Amino acid sequence: MQAASLFKLWFLLLLLGIFPARAPVLLAEESKAPGKSDRFPFPIKVDVKAGKTEGLPNRVQNPASGMWYALVPAGTYTIGSDQVWDSKEIQVQMSPYYISETCVTRSQLGPELWKHMQQADWHDEKIDSQVRQFPEELQVKFRLLEFMMTYEDERGIWGGMLELNPDLASDYDAAYTEFMKSVINGENPESEKELTLEEGVRSIRLTPLQKQTITRVQETVSAQLKDPQRGQAPYDHASDDNAVTYAEWKGVDLPTEAQWEIAARLASANKLKVHHMVGNHWEYCSDFYAYDYFQRENDFKDPTGPRKAKWSRDQLEREKKAELPSSFGFFNWLLRVSVKISVLRGGSLSGREYYPSKIQSLADSEKPHRIRLVINPRQN
């Protein structure tokens, strides 16, 4: 996801005749490497009063994010339902895991997203060292360009987390459009020769109004994302991509479908302190969706879902009929390439949904989409 979005500035420099080193594939931020005997991906705070089960604390916290996790002990559990057409009641054997007591909130996501946007590792150290040698005004210009290209893509990925007030959003859109037109339509007299990075940055024009607007956007977004009091409610606009990305940032995982349902069943029976798993929302699981997955005859130990997505013939026909004219070719593309069709849970204990889907009712499609996390403890 990030690798594709942050190629833009590299490509822009290429258009202008600058040839920076190839942009590396962006990796999620690596968590602190644990010690060999450490079962957790980060230093934890233990709720001593909650006790232990088979040597594992029943409740732990990631102090950096404030997220609490509840232990689901190892055991044999029932999942699935004979009353749901694409499910079946089965028994699964599970290793111990921790599931977050709440979904990721906007205030937990904000600082991580801002840190990610400031990493600026679309280029290599060689380019960064060159930029540090530029005159100060050129460094400022380069960083503004860098932020503009990053923000332009990230706001499409993170939705409401990067919103601006209407006036500033309008100013930014105008500034960005004007800038891109000037780059695409402008004549570069030096285009016949390879420019140095400094020459290339000097040749990129930013008007005083564009600089002012980008700076205002940067300051606004920074203040919003770094404000810990800004929104304790769950982040409701998650996609599969940013759910996976956030889990990687924290060094944890999305729950498998089995992990999600077991926790939901325990919570509904008041055997686990995990909140709001079932209701008018969807939560992403790590599994691919397959309509016949519960009919399998093996993989009952820590199931992680099928290796590829699979729709029934009826589902395929309904998706095809629901295809919108504006999405011409999407359906055939979806069948040709390896696209993750994710499992969504949350509407009921056993009911399943999948994404992407164009056959959901309007009410279903407008449901909040949230991120819940799990820790799979390492074995000592």
Side-chain angles (χ1 to χ4, degrees):
M1 177 183 71
Q2 288 79 13
S5 66
L6 293 182
F7 265 96
K8 272 193 171 182
L9 185 52
W10 180 83
F11 182 66
L12 176 61
L13 295 175
L14 201 62
L15 284 175
L16 292 165
I18 310 165
F19 297 89
R22 180 175 296 277
V25 174
L26 257 179
L27 301 177
E29 177 190 359
E30 295 181 359
S31 59
K32 181 180 179 181
K36 291 182 179 180
S37 62
D38 192 349
R39 292 189 172 189
F40 298 92
F42 40 71
I44 61 167
K45 175 182 177 181
V46 175
D47 182 353
V48 178
K49 294 182 180 179
K52 292 185 177 183
T53 300
E54 297 182 357
L56 288 172
N58 288 326
R59 191 167 182 252
V60 301
Q61 184 191 45
N62 178 358
S65 67
M67 178 74 79
W68 282 98
Y69 295 82
L71 173 67
V72 178
T76 300
Y77 297 91
T78 298
I79 63 171
S81 170
D82 294 334
Q83 306 304 311
V84 179
W85 80 272
D86 58 352
S87 184
K88 179 184 177 182
E89 187 173 298
I90 58 174
Q91 300 287 312
V92 293
Q93 300 175 36
M94 303 296 292
S95 299
Y97 65 94
Y98 289 86
I99 190 161
S100 61
E101 295 180 352
T102 58
C103 290
V104 175
T105 66
R106 292 169 61 93
S107 60
Q108 287 167 336
L109 174 58
E112 294 294 333
L113 178 53
W114 180 249
K115 184 194 304 180
H116 161 68
M117 292 179 69
Q118 295 305 299
Q119 282 181 328
D121 52 358
W122 58 269
H123 51 67
D124 60 18
E125 175 59 29
K126 181 179 179 181
I127 288 181
D128 202 47
S129 63
Q130 290 181 53
V131 172
R132 290 196 294 268
Q133 302 304 313
F134 290 174
E136 184 176 352
E137 68 275 9
L138 275 191
Q139 291 191 46
V140 171
K141 184 179 180 181
F142 184 88
R143 299 307 179 193
L144 284 177
L145 287 166
E146 184 175 62
F147 174 81
M148 178 176 66
M149 293 301 176
T150 302
Y151 173 76
E152 177 62 22
D153 281 331
E154 295 290 348
R155 68 171 176 167
I157 295 169
W158 293 98
M161 286 298 297
L162 297 175
E163 78 272 18
L164 303 171
N165 67 61
D167 290 340
L168 183 54
S170 177
D171 289 347
Y172 172 79
D173 288 338
Y176 179 79
T177 300
E178 180 184 358
F179 169 75
M180 291 306 294
K181 284 182 179 179
S182 71
V183 170
I184 295 173
N185 299 328
E187 295 184 3
N188 182 4
E190 304 293 336
S191 60
E192 296 301 318
K193 71 172 186 176
E194 181 177 337
L195 301 181
T196 66
L197 183 60
E198 182 172 349
E199 290 171 338
V201 175
R202 286 187 184 278
S203 71
I204 297 175
R205 292 191 300 109
L206 277 178
T207 68
L209 180 58
Q210 287 170 332
K211 291 179 181 179
Q212 182 184 54
T213 301
I214 297 169
T215 300
R216 285 168 56 208
V217 171
Q218 190 173 36
E219 292 172 348
T220 300
V221 170
S222 172
Q224 289 177 344
L225 295 185
K226 292 194 291 186
D227 181 1
Q229 302 304 318
R230 187 174 176 268
Q232 300 299 318
Y235 173 58
D236 282 340
H237 302 284
S239 67
D240 177 69
D241 277 347
N242 60 37
V244 170
T245 296
Y246 183 77
E248 289 179 348
W249 288 349
K250 305 310 293 179
V252 295
D253 301 295
L254 298 182
T256 65
E257 185 174 8
Q259 288 175 330
W260 188 95
E261 184 169 336
I262 290 165
R265 286 174 176 269
L266 291 174
S268 68
N270 293 319
K271 296 180 179 179
L272 190 68
K273 186 183 176 182
V274 176
H275 308 289
H276 309 302
M277 294 196 72
V278 176
N280 189 34
H281 70 278
W282 295 121
E283 297 179 16
Y284 285 98
C285 297
S286 62
D287 301 36
F288 282 79
Y289 174 85
Y291 78 95
D292 60 353
Y293 182 56
F294 279 78
Q295 308 301 321
R296 67 196 186 285
E297 297 180 356
N298 50 32
D299 193 21
F300 293 100
K301 169 67 175 174
D302 292 326
T304 56
R307 296 187 179 183
K308 63 180 181 178
K310 187 176 182 181
W311 284 339
S312 70
R313 181 172 298 179
D314 286 344
Q315 286 173 318
L316 287 171
E317 287 300 317
R318 283 183 289 172
E319 289 280 350
K320 189 173 182 179
K321 289 178 181 178
E323 184 180 356
L324 302 175
S326 61
S327 59
F328 177 79
F330 172 78
F331 179 75
N332 290 331
W333 170 79
L334 194 62
L335 296 181
R336 288 199 310 271
V337 302
S338 177
V339 175
K340 181 178 180 184
I341 303 174
S342 305
V343 174
L344 294 170
R345 301 299 298 268
S348 65
L349 282 178
S350 298
R352 313 169 72 211
E353 262 297 345
Y354 58 88
Y355 180 86
S357 171
K358 294 196 289 273
I359 64 172
Q360 292 177 335
S361 69
L362 182 62
D364 281 347
S365 65
E366 292 179 345
K367 285 182 178 180
H369 287 58
R370 297 176 180 171
I371 305 171
R372 195 178 293 271
L373 306 173
V374 297
I375 301 171
N376 295 296
R378 298 176 177 87
Q379 298 297 319
N380 281 336

